Amino acid sequence: MHRRGTRGLERIRWYVDYVLDLVGIGLDESKDLVAQVRDKLEEVVEEARKGEVVIPEQSIYLGRGREFTFDAEDILKFLREAQPEQLDVFRRELLRELRRRKRLSEEVGRIEEEVRRYVKSLGIYVPFAILDYDRFKLWKNKYHFIFKAEIGAHKYLDEYEGTLDELIELFKEVVRRESREISRLIRRARSERERWIREVGGLSEFLSELESHVIETAILTITGPKLARPSTWRGLDDGVIIAMGMGLEKAGDLEVIKWDITRVGPSEFVYGAHPHLWPEFYGWFVESLRSNGVLSIILRSFRKEVDELTGLPVKELRGYVVSMSGGRITYRQLTARELFEAHTTDPVTGERIEPEPAVIYCGPGDDRIYSIRGT
């Protein structure tokens, strides 16, 4: 690690930014913040030693070819060795930045709520999410905003000067413009769905089964020996796809790809995290099924209620074994017990592992096993 020319308040602020980027803003202000940070960093370091996570490293350029590089272990060492007055400064700066980020988070919530209300008034689903957000006060209620947002089929990295209300109106205008392309992509997805349903028997029934369990959003995890590649991946090496976190995972001889499912109308759904993938899913799924013969599928659908014990949204899990024979798709849904056993048994050791919290394991009909408190 390089520690040249870095001391005092500036270094502590770098540490604070790193910590909050790593552990988030869920720290409890009523308890000792330094102790909470120390505990969380120790957990991260221990997980890294087990190979479960990779500790991110931060480099600060100091000029003249010099840099200051540090990670969670360096901050832990600082917290253990720092003088009381240094810890007081760290605690003060941590509280200040924590509160600032919480205010920003509240603003993001307000922006997203107002824009989504506007989206609803348009009568068409338009993806909208703020991925990164910061602001600096100029004068009175005027700010310099810096943001990264996903709106419709595009991502925007931009800056804006004005009031918060003016920024919200700007987002609404972008949503309105994006809605035209989104409408076109939904129509294309609908057309592709109809085409593949005409060509492949049983596809309509299986899609209807999945969609009957989707309230607003869900995640479809599809596993097979060799899955087709979405068009945006073609030409890329698998190692690059995995390293960039584009959605491909490998487990032994099996490949795993996840597709988001989003309800865009009373009885209409799209598949894919990015709108340009929506028309592609149906052909991709049929191609993967044809080349593998059998696929394992897990549907993770999100309910509106929150688990009292964990504060996590309640999820329903369903498992399917999907086959294609003679050009027709058939499927068998796993029982709740089969699904529960598969998700609570270590595949290597065979030992029992804790069930995922806030989950209902669902079989056909009313077959259920609950891992949440209550029903």
Side-chain angles (χ1 to χ4, degrees):
M1 302 299 168
H2 308 284
R3 290 191 176 83
R4 292 173 290 188
T6 55
R7 290 294 184 270
L9 181 60
E10 192 173 33
R11 182 178 64 154
I12 287 175
R13 286 176 173 169
W14 292 337
Y15 284 174
V16 164
D17 284 338
Y18 178 98
V19 164
L20 292 178
D21 287 344
L22 186 65
V23 307
I25 60 174
L27 299 174
D28 187 346
E29 293 183 27
S30 67
K31 299 178 181 178
D32 185 351
L33 290 175
V34 174
Q36 292 178 71
V37 167
R38 188 184 298 117
D39 290 344
K40 289 182 179 294
L41 292 181
E42 286 174 348
E43 289 177 11
V44 170
V45 170
E46 181 60 28
E47 289 172 354
R49 286 174 181 157
K50 294 178 181 178
E52 297 173 357
V53 299
V54 176
I55 296 178
E57 192 174 72
Q58 180 73 49
S59 292
I60 306 293
Y61 180 67
L62 303 175
R64 297 182 180 179
R66 297 178 301 132
E67 65 176 19
F68 173 51
T69 303
F70 60 93
D71 62 17
E73 291 187 87
D74 295 302
I75 299 176
L76 263 179
K77 183 178 180 182
F78 165 78
L79 294 177
R80 290 167 180 155
E81 299 177 355
Q83 297 298 314
E85 57 270 21
Q86 290 177 301
L87 290 179
D88 287 342
V89 173
F90 181 87
R91 186 178 289 106
R92 183 193 71 211
E93 292 299 316
L94 179 62
L95 180 60
R96 179 190 61 80
E97 181 63 15
L98 177 63
R99 288 177 173 174
R100 191 185 79 87
R101 293 193 183 200
K102 285 182 177 179
R103 288 194 298 270
L104 293 178
S105 179
E106 290 171 359
E107 284 186 12
V108 167
R110 177 192 162 188
I111 293 169
E112 291 185 336
E113 181 181 357
E114 292 200 25
V115 173
R116 285 171 183 160
R117 193 181 302 123
Y118 174 72
V119 168
K120 191 173 182 179
S121 73
L122 294 177
I124 179 173
Y125 169 77
V126 180
F128 179 83
I130 295 178
L131 308 177
D132 203 0
Y133 174 84
D134 208 342
R135 59 159 173 75
F136 306 94
K137 191 163 188 176
L138 299 175
W139 63 88
K140 293 185 179 179
N141 61 344
K142 299 280 187 178
Y143 295 89
H144 182 91
F145 297 96
I146 303 172
F147 59 86
K148 181 179 181 181
E150 186 175 65
I151 309 175
H154 299 93
K155 287 184 179 178
Y156 294 81
L157 178 61
D158 212 339
E159 301 180 32
Y160 178 77
E161 290 187 358
T163 66
L164 181 60
D165 288 336
E166 289 169 344
L167 178 65
I168 291 173
E169 291 305 312
L170 172 67
F171 282 138
K172 289 180 180 178
E173 174 59 25
V174 177
V175 163
R176 188 187 63 79
R177 294 200 308 265
E178 286 281 340
S179 66
R180 292 190 286 270
E181 183 172 3
I182 291 298
S183 180
R184 179 180 63 81
L185 289 168
I186 289 176
R187 289 195 301 271
R188 277 189 56 204
R190 187 185 305 141
S191 176
E192 284 296 296
R193 178 190 180 106
E194 292 169 354
R195 179 170 76 87
W196 284 104
I197 283 175
R198 288 194 301 269
E199 290 188 17
V200 181
L203 177 60
S204 177
E205 291 80 358
F206 181 60
L207 293 176
S208 295
E209 160 63 22
L210 294 176
E211 292 161 3
S212 69
H213 304 297
V214 179
I215 299 173
E216 290 183 353
T217 60
I219 298 174
L220 201 60
T221 302
I222 301 177
T223 304
K226 184 61 178 177
L227 300 176
R229 299 294 188 259
S231 61
T232 52
W233 295 4
R234 286 168 189 162
L236 293 177
D237 180 78
D238 283 354
V240 173
I241 294 170
I242 294 171
M244 294 181 65
M246 296 173 67
L248 174 66
E249 300 174 13
K250 294 199 176 188
D253 296 330
L254 297 176
E255 297 182 341
V256 181
I257 294 179
K258 296 180 180 179
W259 290 77
D260 292 353
I261 308 178
T262 305
R263 181 186 290 271
V264 297
S267 58
E268 188 162 25
F269 301 82
V270 290
Y271 294 74
H274 194 281
H276 287 295
L277 289 173
W278 294 348
E280 189 174 330
F281 169 77
Y282 308 100
W284 174 90
F285 178 67
V286 172
E287 181 183 347
S288 293
L289 195 49
R290 280 175 175 164
S291 61
N292 290 272
V294 178
L295 295 175
S296 169
I297 294 180
I298 298 294
L299 174 68
R300 181 183 298 265
S301 49
F302 297 89
R303 294 168 53 149
K304 293 184 178 180
E305 60 263 44
V306 172
D307 177 37
E308 296 177 5
L309 187 62
T310 64
L312 297 171
V314 176
K315 300 168 286 292
E316 293 183 352
L317 258 63
R318 290 175 173 83
Y320 302 88
V321 177
V322 185
S323 308
M324 175 174 274
S325 178
R328 182 172 183 82
I329 292 175
T330 57
Y331 68 90
R332 180 181 79 84
Q333 183 176 355
L334 302 182
T335 66
R337 175 56 58 184
E338 288 174 322
L339 192 61
F340 181 82
E341 292 294 330
H343 281 79
T344 57
T345 304
D346 188 297
V348 177
T349 66
E351 295 180 357
R352 178 71 68 190
I353 56 178
E354 285 293 317
E356 184 180 347
V359 164
I360 305 173
Y361 299 90
C362 303
D366 295 328
D367 185 18
R368 300 281 191 277
I369 294 177
Y370 294 83
S371 72
I372 62 172
R373 187 168 66 183
T375 60

